[in-house]
Coordinates of all heavy atoms in Angstrom, one line a residue:
M970 N 85.3 111.9 115.2 CA 86.6 112.6 115.5 C 86.2 114.0 116.1 O 85.3 114.6 115.5 CB 87.4 112.7 114.3 CG 88.7 113.4 114.6 SD 89.8 113.7 113.2 CE 89.9 112.2 112.3
K971 N 86.8 114.5 117.1 CA 86.6 115.8 117.7 C 87.1 116.9 116.8 O 88.1 116.7 116.1 CB 87.2 115.8 119.1 CG 86.6 114.8 120.0 CD 87.3 114.9 121.4 CE 86.8 113.8 122.3 NZ 87.6 113.7 123.5
E972 N 86.5 118.0 116.9 CA 87.0 119.2 116.1 C 88.4 119.6 116.6 O 88.7 119.6 117.8 CB 86.1 120.4 116.4 CG 86.4 121.6 115.5 CD 85.4 122.7 115.6 OE1 84.3 122.4 116.0 OE2 85.8 123.8 115.4
G973 N 89.3 119.8 115.6 CA 90.6 120.2 115.9 C 91.6 119.0 116.1 O 92.8 119.2 116.2
E974 N 91.0 117.8 116.2 CA 91.8 116.6 116.4 C 92.5 116.2 115.1 O 91.9 116.2 114.0 CB 91.0 115.4 116.8 CG 91.7 114.2 117.3 CD 90.8 113.2 117.9 OE1 89.8 113.5 118.5 OE2 91.1 112.0 117.6
K975 N 93.8 116.0 115.1 CA 94.5 115.6 113.9 C 94.5 114.1 113.6 O 94.6 113.3 114.6 CB 96.0 116.1 114.0 CG 96.2 117.6 114.1 CD 97.6 117.9 114.2 CE 97.8 119.4 114.5 NZ 99.2 119.7 114.6
L976 N 94.4 113.8 112.4 CA 94.5 112.4 112.0 C 95.9 112.1 111.6 O 96.5 112.7 110.7 CB 93.6 112.2 110.7 CG 93.6 110.8 110.2 CD1 93.0 109.8 111.2 CD2 92.7 110.7 108.9
I977 N 96.6 111.2 112.4 CA 97.9 110.8 112.2 C 98.0 109.4 111.5 O 97.4 108.5 112.1 CB 98.8 110.8 113.5 CG1 98.7 112.2 114.1 CG2 100.2 110.4 113.2 CD1 99.3 112.3 115.5
P978 N 98.5 109.3 110.3 CA 98.6 108.0 109.7 C 99.3 106.9 110.5 O 100.2 107.3 111.2 CB 99.3 108.3 108.3 CG 99.2 109.8 108.2 CD 99.1 110.4 109.5
D979 N 98.9 105.7 110.3 CA 99.5 104.6 111.0 C 101.0 104.5 110.8 O 101.7 104.1 111.7 CB 98.9 103.3 110.6 CG 97.4 103.1 111.1 OD1 97.0 103.9 111.9 OD2 96.7 102.2 110.6
Y980 N 101.5 104.8 109.6 CA 102.9 104.7 109.3 C 103.7 105.7 110.2 O 104.8 105.4 110.7 CB 103.2 104.9 107.9 CG 102.4 103.9 107.0 CD1 101.4 104.4 106.1 CD2 102.6 102.6 107.2 CE1 100.7 103.5 105.4 CE2 101.8 101.7 106.4 CZ 100.9 102.2 105.6 OH 100.1 101.3 104.8
D981 N 103.2 106.9 110.3 CA 103.9 107.9 111.2 C 103.9 107.5 112.6 O 104.9 107.6 113.3 CB 103.1 109.3 111.1 CG 103.3 110.0 109.8 OD1 104.4 109.7 109.1 OD2 102.4 110.8 109.4
K982 N 102.8 106.9 113.1 CA 102.7 106.4 114.4 C 103.7 105.2 114.6 O 104.4 105.2 115.6 CB 101.3 105.9 114.8 CG 100.3 107.0 114.9 CD 98.9 106.3 115.2 CE 97.8 107.3 115.2 NZ 96.5 106.7 115.4
A983 N 103.7 104.3 113.7 CA 104.6 103.2 113.8 C 106.1 103.6 113.8 O 106.9 103.1 114.6 CB 104.4 102.2 112.6
L984 N 106.4 104.6 113.0 CA 107.8 105.1 113.0 C 108.1 105.7 114.3 O 109.2 105.4 114.9 CB 108.0 106.1 111.8 CG 109.4 106.7 111.7 CD1 110.4 105.6 111.4 CD2 109.4 107.7 110.6
Y985 N 107.3 106.6 114.8 CA 107.5 107.2 116.1 C 107.6 106.2 117.2 O 108.6 106.2 118.0 CB 106.3 108.2 116.4 CG 106.5 108.9 117.7 CD1 107.3 110.1 117.8 CD2 105.9 108.5 118.9 CE1 107.4 110.7 119.0 CE2 106.0 109.1 120.1 CZ 106.8 110.3 120.1 OH 107.0 110.9 121.3
Y986 N 106.7 105.3 117.3 CA 106.7 104.3 118.4 C 108.0 103.4 118.3 O 108.5 103.0 119.3 CB 105.5 103.4 118.4 CG 104.2 104.1 118.6 CD1 103.0 103.6 118.0 CD2 104.1 105.3 119.3 CE1 101.8 104.3 118.2 CE2 102.9 106.0 119.5 CZ 101.7 105.4 118.9 OH 100.5 106.1 119.1
T987 N 108.4 103.0 117.1 CA 109.5 102.2 116.9 C 110.8 102.9 117.3 O 111.7 102.4 118.0 CB 109.6 101.7 115.4 OG1 108.4 101.0 115.1 CG2 110.8 100.8 115.2
L988 N 110.9 104.1 116.9 CA 112.2 104.9 117.1 C 112.3 105.3 118.6 O 113.4 105.3 119.1 CB 112.2 106.2 116.3 CG 112.4 105.9 114.8 CD1 112.3 107.3 114.0 CD2 113.7 105.2 114.5
W989 N 111.2 105.4 119.3 CA 111.2 105.8 120.7 C 111.0 104.7 121.7 O 110.9 104.9 122.9 CB 110.2 107.0 121.0 CG 110.7 108.3 120.4 CD1 110.3 108.8 119.2 CD2 111.8 109.1 120.8 NE1 111.0 109.9 118.9 CE2 111.9 110.2 119.9 CE3 112.6 109.1 122.0 CZ2 112.9 111.2 120.1 CZ3 113.5 110.1 122.2 CH2 113.6 111.1 121.2
G990 N 110.9 103.5 121.2 CA 110.8 102.3 122.0 C 109.5 102.2 122.8 O 109.5 101.7 123.9
Q991 N 108.4 102.7 122.2 CA 107.1 102.6 122.9 C 106.4 101.4 122.4 O 105.5 101.4 121.6 CB 106.3 103.9 122.6 CG 106.9 105.1 123.1 CD 106.2 106.4 122.8 OE1 105.3 106.4 122.0 NE2 106.5 107.5 123.6
W992 N 106.8 100.2 123.0 CA 106.3 98.9 122.5 C 104.8 98.7 122.8 O 104.2 98.1 122.0 CB 107.2 97.8 123.2 CG 108.6 98.0 123.0 CD1 109.6 97.7 123.9 CD2 109.4 98.5 121.9 NE1 110.8 98.0 123.5 CE2 110.7 98.4 122.2 CE3 109.0 98.9 120.6 CZ2 111.7 98.8 121.3 CZ3 110.0 99.3 119.7 CH2 111.3 99.3 120.1
D993 N 104.3 99.2 123.9 CA 102.9 99.0 124.2 C 102.0 99.7 123.2 O 101.0 99.2 122.7 CB 102.6 99.6 125.6 CG 103.2 98.8 126.7 OD1 103.6 97.6 126.5 OD2 103.3 99.3 127.9
D994 N 102.4 101.0 122.8 CA 101.7 101.7 121.8 C 101.8 101.0 120.4 O 100.9 101.0 119.6 CB 102.2 103.1 121.7 CG 101.8 103.9 123.0 OD1 100.8 103.7 123.5 OD2 102.6 104.8 123.3
L995 N 103.0 100.4 120.2 CA 103.2 99.7 118.9 C 102.3 98.5 118.8 O 101.8 98.2 117.8 CB 104.7 99.4 118.8 CG 105.2 98.9 117.4 CD1 105.0 100.0 116.4 CD2 106.7 98.5 117.5
L996 N 102.2 97.8 120.0 CA 101.3 96.6 120.0 C 99.8 97.0 119.7 O 99.1 96.3 119.0 CB 101.4 96.0 121.4 CG 100.5 94.7 121.6 CD1 101.0 93.6 120.7 CD2 100.6 94.3 123.1
V997 N 99.4 98.1 120.3 CA 98.0 98.6 120.1 C 97.8 98.9 118.6 O 96.8 98.6 118.0 CB 97.7 99.8 121.0 CG1 96.4 100.4 120.6 CG2 97.7 99.4 122.4
L998 N 98.8 99.6 118.0 CA 98.8 99.9 116.6 C 98.7 98.7 115.7 O 98.0 98.6 114.8 CB 100.0 100.8 116.2 CG 100.0 101.2 114.7 CD1 98.8 102.1 114.4 CD2 101.3 101.9 114.5
M999 N 99.5 97.6 116.1 CA 99.5 96.4 115.4 C 98.1 95.8 115.3 O 97.7 95.3 114.3 CB 100.4 95.4 116.1 CG 100.4 94.0 115.4 SD 101.3 92.8 116.4 CE 100.1 92.3 117.6
V1000 N 97.3 95.9 116.4 CA 96.0 95.3 116.4 C 95.0 96.2 115.7 O 94.1 95.7 115.0 CB 95.5 95.2 117.9 CG1 94.0 94.8 118.0 CG2 96.4 94.2 118.6
R1001 N 95.2 97.5 115.7 CA 94.2 98.5 115.1 C 94.4 98.8 113.7 O 93.4 99.2 113.0 CB 94.2 99.7 115.9 CG 93.6 99.5 117.3 CD 93.5 100.8 118.0 NE 92.9 100.6 119.4 CZ 92.8 101.5 120.3 NH1 93.3 102.7 120.1 NH2 92.3 101.2 121.5
T1002 N 95.6 98.7 113.1 CA 95.9 99.1 111.8 C 95.1 98.2 110.8 O 94.8 97.1 111.0 CB 97.4 99.1 111.4 OG1 97.5 99.7 110.1 CG2 97.9 97.7 111.5
K1003 N 94.8 98.9 109.6 CA 94.1 98.2 108.6 C 95.1 97.6 107.6 O 94.7 96.8 106.7 CB 93.1 99.1 107.8 CG 92.1 99.8 108.7 CD 90.7 99.5 108.3 CE 89.7 100.2 109.1 NZ 89.5 99.7 110.5
D1004 N 96.4 97.9 107.7 CA 97.4 97.4 106.9 C 97.9 96.1 107.4 O 98.7 96.0 108.4 CB 98.5 98.4 106.8 CG 99.7 98.0 105.8 OD1 99.8 96.8 105.5 OD2 100.4 98.9 105.4
D1005 N 97.6 95.0 106.8 CA 97.9 93.6 107.3 C 99.5 93.4 107.3 O 100.0 92.8 108.1 CB 97.3 92.6 106.4 CG 95.8 92.5 106.6 OD1 95.3 93.0 107.7 OD2 95.1 92.0 105.7
I1006 N 100.1 94.0 106.3 CA 101.6 93.8 106.2 C 102.3 94.6 107.3 O 103.2 94.0 108.0 CB 102.1 94.3 104.8 CG1 101.5 93.4 103.7 CG2 103.7 94.2 104.8 CD1 101.8 93.8 102.3
L1007 N 101.8 95.8 107.6 CA 102.4 96.5 108.7 C 102.2 95.8 110.0 O 103.1 95.6 110.8 CB 101.8 97.9 108.8 CG 102.2 98.8 110.0 CD1 103.7 99.1 110.0 CD2 101.4 100.1 110.0
S1008 N 101.0 95.3 110.2 CA 100.6 94.5 111.4 C 101.6 93.3 111.6 O 102.1 93.0 112.7 CB 99.2 94.0 111.3 OG 98.9 93.3 112.5
K1009 N 101.8 92.6 110.5 CA 102.7 91.4 110.5 C 104.1 91.8 110.8 O 104.8 91.1 111.6 CB 102.6 90.7 109.2 CG 103.3 89.3 109.2 CD 102.5 88.4 110.2 CE 103.0 87.0 110.1 NZ 102.4 86.1 111.1
K1010 N 104.6 92.9 110.2 CA 106.0 93.3 110.5 C 106.2 93.8 112.0 O 107.2 93.5 112.6 CB 106.4 94.5 109.6 CG 106.3 94.2 108.1 CD 107.4 93.3 107.7 CE 107.4 93.1 106.2 NZ 108.2 92.0 105.7
I1011 N 105.2 94.4 112.5 CA 105.2 94.8 113.9 C 105.2 93.6 114.8 O 106.0 93.5 115.7 CB 104.0 95.7 114.3 CG1 104.1 97.1 113.6 CG2 103.9 95.9 115.8 CD1 102.9 98.0 113.7
E1012 N 104.3 92.6 114.5 CA 104.3 91.4 115.2 C 105.6 90.6 115.2 O 106.1 90.2 116.3 CB 103.2 90.5 114.7 CG 103.1 89.1 115.4 CD 102.1 88.2 114.7 OE1 101.6 88.5 113.6 OE2 101.9 87.1 115.3
Q1013 N 106.2 90.5 114.1 CA 107.5 89.8 114.0 C 108.6 90.5 114.8 O 109.4 89.9 115.5 CB 107.9 89.7 112.5 CG 107.1 88.8 111.7 CD 107.3 88.9 110.2 OE1 107.9 89.8 109.7 NE2 106.9 87.9 109.5
F1014 N 108.6 91.9 114.7 CA 109.6 92.6 115.5 C 109.4 92.4 117.0 O 110.3 92.1 117.8 CB 109.6 94.1 115.2 CG 110.4 94.9 116.2 CD1 111.7 94.7 116.3 CD2 109.7 95.8 117.0 CE1 112.5 95.4 117.3 CE2 110.4 96.5 117.9 CZ 111.8 96.3 118.1
L1015 N 108.1 92.6 117.5 CA 107.9 92.5 118.9 C 108.1 91.1 119.4 O 108.6 91.0 120.5 CB 106.4 93.0 119.2 CG 106.1 94.5 119.0 CD1 104.7 94.8 119.3 CD2 107.0 95.3 119.9
N1016 N 107.8 90.1 118.6 CA 108.1 88.8 119.0 C 109.6 88.5 119.2 O 110.0 88.0 120.2 CB 107.5 87.8 118.0 CG 107.5 86.4 118.4 OD1 108.5 85.9 119.0 ND2 106.4 85.6 118.2
A1017 N 110.3 89.0 118.2 CA 111.8 88.8 118.3 C 112.4 89.6 119.5 O 113.2 89.1 120.2 CB 112.4 89.3 117.0
Y1018 N 111.9 90.8 119.7 CA 112.4 91.6 120.8 C 112.2 91.0 122.1 O 113.0 91.0 123.0 CB 111.7 93.0 120.7 CG 112.2 94.0 121.8 CD1 113.4 94.7 121.6 CD2 111.5 94.2 122.9 CE1 113.9 95.5 122.6 CE2 112.0 95.0 123.9 CZ 113.2 95.7 123.7 OH 113.6 96.5 124.7
H1019 N 111.0 90.4 122.3 CA 110.6 89.9 123.6 C 111.1 88.5 123.9 O 111.3 88.1 125.0 CB 109.1 90.0 123.9 CG 108.7 91.4 124.1 ND1 108.9 92.1 125.3 CD2 108.0 92.2 123.4 CE1 108.4 93.3 125.3 NE2 107.8 93.4 124.1
Y1020 N 111.2 87.7 122.8 CA 111.4 86.2 123.0 C 112.7 85.7 122.4 O 113.1 84.6 122.7 CB 110.2 85.4 122.5 CG 108.9 85.8 123.1 CD1 107.9 86.5 122.5 CD2 108.7 85.5 124.5 CE1 106.7 86.8 123.1 CE2 107.6 85.9 125.1 CZ 106.6 86.5 124.4 OH 105.4 86.9 125.1
S1021 N 113.3 86.4 121.4 CA 114.5 85.8 120.8 C 115.8 86.1 121.6 O 116.0 87.2 122.1 CB 114.6 86.4 119.4 OG 115.8 85.9 118.7
L1022 N 116.6 85.1 121.6 CA 117.9 85.2 122.2 C 119.0 85.7 121.2 O 120.1 86.0 121.6 CB 118.3 83.9 122.9 CG 117.4 83.4 124.0 CD1 117.9 82.1 124.5 CD2 117.3 84.4 125.1
D1023 N 118.6 85.7 119.9 CA 119.5 86.0 118.8 C 119.4 87.5 118.5 O 118.4 87.9 118.0 CB 119.1 85.2 117.6 CG 120.0 85.4 116.4 OD1 121.0 86.1 116.6 OD2 119.8 84.8 115.4
E1024 N 120.4 88.2 118.9 CA 120.4 89.7 118.7 C 120.2 90.1 117.2 O 119.6 91.0 116.9 CB 121.6 90.3 119.3 CG 121.7 91.8 119.2 CD 122.9 92.4 119.8 OE1 123.5 91.8 120.7 OE2 123.2 93.5 119.5
S1025 N 120.8 89.3 116.3 CA 120.8 89.6 114.9 C 119.3 89.5 114.4 O 118.9 90.2 113.5 CB 121.7 88.7 114.1 OG 121.3 87.4 114.2
K1026 N 118.5 88.6 115.0 CA 117.1 88.4 114.6 C 116.3 89.7 115.0 O 115.5 90.2 114.3 CB 116.5 87.2 115.2 CG 115.1 87.0 114.7 CD 114.5 85.7 115.2 CE 113.1 85.5 114.7 NZ 112.5 84.3 115.2
V1027 N 116.6 90.2 116.2 CA 116.0 91.4 116.7 C 116.3 92.6 115.8 O 115.4 93.3 115.3 CB 116.3 91.7 118.1 CG1 115.7 93.0 118.6 CG2 115.9 90.6 119.0
I1028 N 117.6 92.7 115.4 CA 118.0 93.8 114.6 C 117.4 93.7 113.2 O 116.9 94.7 112.6 CB 119.5 93.9 114.5 CG1 120.1 94.3 115.9 CG2 120.0 94.8 113.4 CD1 121.6 94.1 116.0
N1029 N 117.4 92.5 112.7 CA 116.9 92.2 111.3 C 115.4 92.6 111.2 O 114.9 93.2 110.3 CB 117.1 90.8 110.9 CG 116.7 90.5 109.5 OD1 116.8 91.4 108.6 ND2 116.3 89.3 109.2
T1030 N 114.6 92.1 112.2 CA 113.1 92.4 112.2 C 112.9 93.9 112.4 O 111.9 94.4 111.9 CB 112.4 91.5 113.2 OG1 112.9 91.7 114.5 CG2 112.4 90.1 112.9
H1031 N 113.7 94.5 113.2 CA 113.6 96.0 113.5 C 113.8 96.7 112.2 O 113.1 97.6 111.8 CB 114.6 96.4 114.5 CG 114.5 97.9 114.9 ND1 115.4 98.8 114.3 CD2 113.7 98.5 115.7 CE1 115.1 100.0 114.8 NE2 114.1 99.9 115.7
D1032 N 114.9 96.4 111.5 CA 115.3 97.0 110.2 C 114.2 96.7 109.1 O 113.8 97.6 108.4 CB 116.6 96.5 109.7 CG 117.8 97.1 110.5 OD1 117.6 98.0 111.3 OD2 118.9 96.5 110.4
T1033 N 113.7 95.5 109.1 CA 112.6 95.2 108.1 C 111.4 96.0 108.4 O 110.7 96.5 107.4 CB 112.3 93.7 108.2 OG1 113.5 92.9 108.0 CG2 111.2 93.3 107.2
L1034 N 111.0 96.2 109.6 CA 109.9 97.0 110.0 C 110.1 98.5 109.5 O 109.2 99.1 108.9 CB 109.6 97.0 111.5 CG 108.5 98.0 112.0 CD1 107.2 97.7 111.4 CD2 108.4 97.8 113.5
L1035 N 111.3 99.0 109.8 CA 111.6 100.4 109.4 C 111.6 100.5 107.9 O 111.1 101.5 107.3 CB 112.9 100.8 110.0 CG 112.9 101.1 111.5 CD1 114.3 101.4 112.0 CD2 111.9 102.2 111.9
Y1036 N 112.1 99.5 107.1 CA 112.2 99.6 105.7 C 110.7 99.6 105.1 O 110.4 100.3 104.2 CB 112.9 98.4 105.1 CG 114.4 98.5 105.3 CD1 115.2 97.3 105.6 CD2 115.1 99.7 105.2 CE1 116.5 97.4 105.9 CE2 116.5 99.7 105.5 CZ 117.2 98.6 105.8 OH 118.5 98.6 106.0
Y1037 N 109.9 98.8 105.7 CA 108.5 98.7 105.2 C 107.8 100.0 105.5 O 107.1 100.5 104.6 CB 107.7 97.6 105.9 CG 106.3 97.6 105.4 CD1 106.0 97.2 104.1 CD2 105.2 98.1 106.2 CE1 104.7 97.2 103.6 CE2 104.0 98.2 105.7 CZ 103.7 97.7 104.4 OH 102.4 97.8 103.9
I1038 N 108.0 100.6 106.7 CA 107.3 101.9 107.0 C 107.8 103.0 106.0 O 107.0 103.7 105.5 CB 107.7 102.3 108.5 CG1 107.0 101.4 109.5 CG2 107.2 103.8 108.7 CD1 107.5 101.5 110.9
D1039 N 109.1 103.0 105.7 CA 109.7 103.9 104.8 C 109.1 103.8 103.4 O 108.7 104.7 102.7 CB 111.2 103.8 104.7 CG 111.8 104.8 103.8 OD1 111.6 106.0 103.9 OD2 112.6 104.4 102.9
H1040 N 109.0 102.5 103.0 CA 108.4 102.2 101.7 C 106.9 102.6 101.6 O 106.5 103.3 100.6 CB 108.5 100.7 101.4 CG 107.7 100.2 100.2 ND1 108.2 100.4 98.9 CD2 106.5 99.6 100.1 CE1 107.3 99.9 98.0 NE2 106.3 99.4 98.7
A1041 N 106.1 102.3 102.6 CA 104.7 102.6 102.6 C 104.5 104.2 102.7 O 103.5 104.7 102.1 CB 104.0 102.0 103.8
M1042 N 105.3 104.9 103.4 CA 105.2 106.3 103.5 C 105.4 107.0 102.2 O 104.8 108.1 102.0 CB 106.1 106.9 104.6 CG 105.7 106.5 106.0 SD 106.8 107.1 107.3 CE 106.2 108.7 107.5
K1043 N 106.2 106.4 101.3 CA 106.4 107.0 100.0 C 105.2 107.0 99.1 O 105.0 107.8 98.3 CB 107.6 106.3 99.3 CG 108.9 106.5 99.9 CD 110.0 105.7 99.2 CE 111.3 105.9 99.8 NZ 112.3 105.0 99.2
Y1044 N 104.3 106.1 99.4 CA 103.1 105.9 98.6 C 101.8 106.3 99.3 O 100.8 106.1 98.8 CB 103.0 104.4 98.1 CG 104.2 104.1 97.3 CD1 105.2 103.3 97.8 CD2 104.3 104.5 96.0 CE1 106.3 103.0 97.0 CE2 105.4 104.1 95.2 CZ 106.4 103.4 95.7 OH 107.5 103.1 95.0
T1045 N 102.0 107.0 100.4 CA 100.8 107.4 101.2 C 100.7 109.0 101.0 O 101.7 109.7 101.3 CB 101.0 107.1 102.7 OG1 101.1 105.7 102.8 CG2 99.8 107.6 103.5
P1046 N 99.6 109.5 100.6 CA 99.5 110.9 100.4 C 99.6 111.6 101.8 O 99.1 111.1 102.8 CB 98.1 111.1 99.8 CG 97.4 109.9 100.1 CD 98.4 108.8 100.2
P1047 N 100.2 112.8 101.8 CA 100.4 113.5 103.1 C 99.0 114.0 103.6 O 98.1 114.2 102.8 CB 101.3 114.7 102.7 CG 101.2 114.9 101.2 CD 100.8 113.5 100.7
V1048 N 98.9 114.2 104.9 CA 97.7 114.6 105.5 C 97.7 116.2 105.3 O 98.6 116.9 105.6 CB 97.7 114.3 107.0 CG1 96.5 114.9 107.7 CG2 97.7 112.8 107.2
M1049 N 96.5 116.7 104.8 CA 96.4 118.1 104.6 C 95.5 118.7 105.7 O 94.5 118.1 106.1 CB 95.7 118.4 103.3 CG 96.4 117.7 102.1 SD 98.0 118.5 101.8 CE 97.6 119.9 100.9
M1050 N 95.9 119.8 106.2 CA 95.1 120.5 107.3 C 94.3 121.6 106.6 O 94.7 122.3 105.7 CB 96.0 121.2 108.3 CG 96.6 120.2 109.3 SD 97.6 121.1 110.5 CE 96.4 122.1 111.3
E1051 N 93.0 121.7 107.0 CA 92.2 122.7 106.5 C 92.4 124.0 107.4 O 92.4 123.9 108.6 CB 90.7 122.3 106.6 CG 90.4 121.2 105.6 CD 88.9 120.9 105.7 OE1 88.1 121.7 106.0 OE2 88.6 119.7 105.3
I1052 N 92.4 125.1 106.7 CA 92.6 126.4 107.5 C 91.4 127.2 107.3 O 90.8 127.3 106.4 CB 93.8 127.1 106.9 CG1 95.1 126.3 107.1 CG2 94.0 128.5 107.6 CD1 96.3 126.9 106.6

């Protein structure tokens, strides 16, 4: 990691990408994250978003992803910056 580069947890990235509709970045995160559950939730959402004709399935998988991110962020220690 380069000096001055910030480490942003996967859950923060997932939340940002999901809320702003950055599906390509969300797909990359799905592949790179070490959290298997987060990866699976992202996969289910992206699959429903791109291939499902049922709008309620898309909304349900989107909400499930957001609920999981919220849950995981509660148990993840905050990133501390050194001054």
Side-chain angles (χ1 to χ4, degrees):
M970 183 186 309
K971 297 177 186 170
E972 186 176 334
E974 189 174 324
K975 295 180 185 177
L976 178 65
I977 301 173
D979 289 347
Y980 306 114
D981 290 333
K982 290 179 186 176
L984 181 61
Y985 180 83
Y986 298 153
T987 302
L988 293 177
W989 289 99
Q991 296 180 346
W992 309 140
D993 292 341
D994 293 324
L995 194 60
L996 179 65
V997 171
L998 180 64
M999 178 188 84
V1000 173
R1001 292 185 178 171
T1002 186
K1003 304 238 185 287
D1004 184 337
D1005 293 336
I1006 297 173
L1007 176 61
S1008 180
K1009 191 65 173 175
K1010 299 291 183 191
I1011 293 171
E1012 177 187 8
Q1013 290 169 344
F1014 167 65
L1015 290 177
N1016 189 316
Y1018 182 81
H1019 287 288
Y1020 300 112
S1021 180
L1022 299 176
D1023 183 5
E1024 184 178 336
S1025 65
K1026 183 175 181 180
V1027 176
I1028 293 169
N1029 186 31
T1030 56
H1031 182 264
D1032 289 347
T1033 302
L1034 173 59
L1035 290 176
Y1036 291 140
Y1037 178 74
I1038 293 168
D1039 182 53
H1040 172 77
M1042 288 177 84
K1043 289 178 184 176
Y1044 298 100
T1045 303
V1048 175
M1049 302 295 277
M1050 285 184 59
E1051 290 184 26
I1052 297 177

